[in-house]
Amino acid sequence: MINDLEERTAVFGENIIYFVKILPKNSTFVSLLNQVVRSGTSLGANYYEANETSTKKDFQCKIAICKKEANETKYWLRMIAKASPEKKD
């Protein structure tokens, strides 16, 4: 199960990278794209790191960071959808 979620979070990050490549690179999007790449790829990196922790408390802390990164990514995707409605789907 751990490897499944590691793979899923890695694929999610890869999909974020692919997605930003198809969006316009104008002044409206530069900040949005940087933010969504950071949070979307950080989710997987933090999950990988959580799996290497030595204590339950540290694991829970890293998983909480993953949740925060996922929520932040959702926010940035919402902003991108508003700025580029044709890419919403």
Side-chain angles (χ1 to χ4, degrees):
M1 183 165 158
I2 289 173
N3 289 335
D4 179 52
L5 201 46
E6 283 183 359
E7 181 63 18
R8 288 172 52 201
T9 59
V11 168
F12 180 77
E14 292 167 353
N15 287 338
I16 290 290
I17 292 167
Y18 171 76
F19 178 62
V20 300
K21 287 183 175 185
I22 65 171
L23 292 171
K25 307 301 185 275
N26 60 42
S27 60
T28 302
F29 280 96
V30 171
S31 181
L32 296 173
L33 300 181
N34 287 335
Q35 293 285 12
V36 78
V37 168
R38 284 187 188 113
S39 62
T41 57
S42 181
L43 171 62
N46 281 295
Y47 187 78
Y48 272 67
E49 193 173 329
N51 285 329
E52 299 301 320
T53 59
S54 56
T55 67
K56 184 176 181 177
K57 185 176 180 179
D58 196 21
F59 176 80
Q60 290 172 332
C61 179
K62 296 293 183 192
I63 293 298
I65 293 169
C66 291
K67 184 177 178 182
K68 288 178 184 179
E69 294 294 341
N71 284 329
E72 182 180 341
T73 302
K74 188 165 65 171
Y75 172 82
W76 293 120
L77 289 171
R78 179 180 174 177
M79 296 301 107
I80 290 168
K82 189 66 166 181
S84 185
E86 71 279 2
K87 300 291 186 188
K88 187 174 180 176
D89 291 335

